[in-house]
Amino acid sequence: MVLALDGSAQKSYSGTTIVFSGLAILTTSIDNDIIIVTVGARTTSAPYVTVSSISSTPTLTWTLRRQKQQTNSSTVWQDLEEWYTVWTSHGELSITVTLSGTPSYGKGVAFGISGANTATIFDSNAGANPTGSGNSADPTVSITTSNANDFIFGLETTTNANIATPGSGFTNIQQIENLGTEYKIVSATQSGATVNFIVATGLWCMIADAIMQATAAVSLRRLKMGLGR
């Protein structure tokens, strides 16, 4: 199957929760999607506001994939997280993200990826430099992939109201103030594929990741018969 974006939604926080329901519900059209939820939360005093749990209807098991935190040690404590699950069905998925405290802002983007390898989801080489943070303009994160046709996506959160513009060859999934997500599907093995974000100078966190394409299953019976695929 060809990797593709399959539905997306965005939501700002309400108190200590981010609820993807109603107008912001995630709707997918294909079974066996990888569902990604990215959350950015900021507070003006320690400790960091983090994700306590994610629940959904229908019920799915959610796993924390990556987390990045950045502080200027005076007025901002910023947390960025990537969570994922596999949904064997499709349709409307209501998602509730519970935070560890009440942030000055908390925002989330949820999206589905069809055509992925649900047994080995992530490109094993995508850990080369998957996260970054700092307090400067024009930040970048580089990610090296080892497989053709990966779905590469980048996440960023910033203290500035400006939203990052997509990097070269990337398309925005969703943009919401202080939080953005973008992606592209590579057509050949990449070396040092770079996720580029352009933001105004300010405190920022970023995560880049790559999801592998599903491969066609070979029938053992047909192989024994010498028929190949």
Side-chain angles (χ1 to χ4, degrees):
M1 290 183 65
V2 177
L3 285 160
L5 181 68
D6 187 21
S8 62
Q10 65 181 36
K11 191 73 173 182
S12 296
Y13 80 97
S14 176
T16 59
T17 60
I18 301 173
V19 182
F20 294 89
S21 62
L23 294 177
I25 200 166
L26 175 62
T27 301
T28 63
S29 59
I30 299 175
D31 289 356
N32 299 312
D33 277 4
I34 306 301
I35 308 298
I36 303 290
V37 171
T38 66
V39 176
R42 186 177 79 198
T43 182
T44 56
S45 61
Y48 291 103
V49 173
T50 59
V51 175
S52 297
S53 65
I54 298 182
S55 60
S56 56
T57 304
T59 301
L60 301 172
T61 300
W62 296 87
T63 302
L64 175 63
R65 165 72 173 166
R66 292 208 167 113
Q67 179 182 44
K68 189 65 179 179
Q69 296 176 329
Q70 178 74 355
T71 179
N72 62 7
S73 301
S74 59
T75 59
V76 177
W77 282 257
Q78 194 159 253
D79 178 76
L80 179 62
E81 300 185 27
E82 171 195 349
W83 292 71
Y84 73 95
T85 191
V86 178
W87 192 16
T88 57
S89 186
H90 70 276
E92 293 187 350
L93 183 63
S94 177
I95 304 168
T96 300
V97 179
T98 303
L99 303 174
S100 62
T102 303
S104 54
Y105 84 70
K107 303 175 188 294
V109 173
F111 57 96
I113 304 169
S114 62
N117 185 338
T118 56
T120 306
I121 298 172
F122 299 99
D123 190 324
S124 61
N125 201 36
N129 183 20
T131 62
S133 61
N135 193 6
S136 65
D138 301 333
T140 64
V141 168
S142 297
I143 184 169
T144 302
T145 64
S146 55
N147 297 279
N149 304 315
D150 276 0
F151 185 111
I152 300 177
F153 59 94
L155 334 167
E156 66 87 23
T157 183
T158 175
T159 56
N160 300 294
N162 295 346
I163 295 296
T165 58
S168 176
F170 284 77
T171 301
N172 280 322
I173 297 174
Q174 289 279 3
Q175 290 189 103
I176 187 169
E177 188 179 35
N178 302 109
L179 182 67
T181 307
E182 62 187 59
Y183 81 101
K184 73 175 178 178
I185 301 169
V186 302
S187 58
T189 302
Q190 300 291 295
S191 176
T194 302
V195 180
N196 293 300
F197 298 85
I198 303 173
V199 298
T201 302
L203 204 65
W204 51 268
C205 295
M206 292 182 293
I207 294 174
D209 214 339
I211 288 181
M212 293 171 53
Q213 183 183 42
T215 55
V218 177
S219 167
L220 180 60
R221 179 173 179 271
R222 289 177 65 84
L223 284 174
K224 288 182 177 178
M225 293 173 64
L227 298 177
R229 293 182 183 272

